Amino acid sequence: MDQKIVAILRRDGALTGVELGERVGLSASAAHRRVKAMEAEGLIRGYRVRFSPQALGMPSTLFVSVTLTDQRQETLERFEAALKRCEQVVEAHLMGGEIDYNVKLAIPADDSYERVHRDVLAVLPGVERLRSQISIRAVVEQA
């Protein structure tokens, strides 16, 4: 039952207890109790509103593959700490394979990727190589 609730809330986290209960075959109070229990266990970590990049004034989404100079713990920590301070970074993942990090950026309409590349990404500690790809449009997006 919890998996059903999770699947439904992933698609629409703004459902009322009544709506959720109807979709999973529980009363509103029973659905509410299960959701509260999952929150208490840390299975549900929060709720958020998702805005389109255009609504945020950030129409360009880019993905940047980052290769670092080395894999030492100090290099990784310095890079990650600096990356967390970059306001254009939406998401970042430490990767296995040929690249070290895959970074998703949202570029504001009043900014340019050239400036962000030159003044933000290229100066991050430990960066050896940056490879960029621009998103034409999102085909599948899940929370």
Side-chain angles (χ1 to χ4, degrees), residues 13-24:
L15 290 175
T16 66
V18 171
E19 293 168 326
L20 180 59
E22 287 173 356
R23 292 194 189 178
V24 297

Side-chain angles (χ1 to χ4, degrees), residues 77-126:
E77 288 173 358
R78 288 180 57 230
F79 174 79
E80 289 178 11
L83 190 67
K84 289 175 183 176
R85 293 189 297 272
C86 297
E87 62 189 46
Q88 301 85 355
V89 173
V90 175
E91 207 172 305
H93 299 265
L94 176 62
M95 306 298 290
E98 293 183 33
I99 64 167
D100 295 314
Y101 290 87
N102 200 12
V103 179
K104 181 179 179 181
L105 303 169
I107 307 296
D110 63 349
D111 204 351
S112 73
Y113 178 61
E114 177 185 5
R115 189 204 67 77
V116 172
H117 184 278
R118 180 188 63 237
D119 298 343
V120 177
L121 299 175
V123 298
L124 290 171

Side-chain angles (χ1 to χ4, degrees), residues 25-123:
L26 293 174
S27 68
S29 60
H32 180 72
R33 278 194 303 276
R34 287 187 98 107
V35 168
K36 288 299 177 194
M38 286 190 283
E39 289 172 355
E41 292 177 41
L43 299 173
I44 296 175
R45 296 188 296 183
Y47 301 89
R48 64 186 176 123
V49 176
R50 293 176 57 209
F51 294 99
S52 71
Q54 292 77 14
L56 297 173
M58 299 182 176
S60 298
T61 300
L62 293 107
F63 296 89
V64 180
S65 300
V66 180
T67 303
L68 298 180
T69 55
D70 60 68
Q71 292 288 308
R72 293 180 306 143
Q73 188 66 29
E74 177 187 342
T75 304
L76 299 175
E77 288 173 358
R78 288 180 57 230
F79 174 79
E80 289 178 11
L83 190 67
K84 289 175 183 176
R85 293 189 297 272
C86 297
E87 62 189 46
Q88 301 85 355
V89 173
V90 175
E91 207 172 305
H93 299 265
L94 176 62
M95 306 298 290
E98 293 183 33
I99 64 167
D100 295 314
Y101 290 87
N102 200 12
V103 179
K104 181 179 179 181
L105 303 169
I107 307 296
D110 63 349
D111 204 351
S112 73
Y113 178 61
E114 177 185 5
R115 189 204 67 77
V116 172
H117 184 278
R118 180 188 63 237
D119 298 343
V120 177
L121 299 175
V123 298

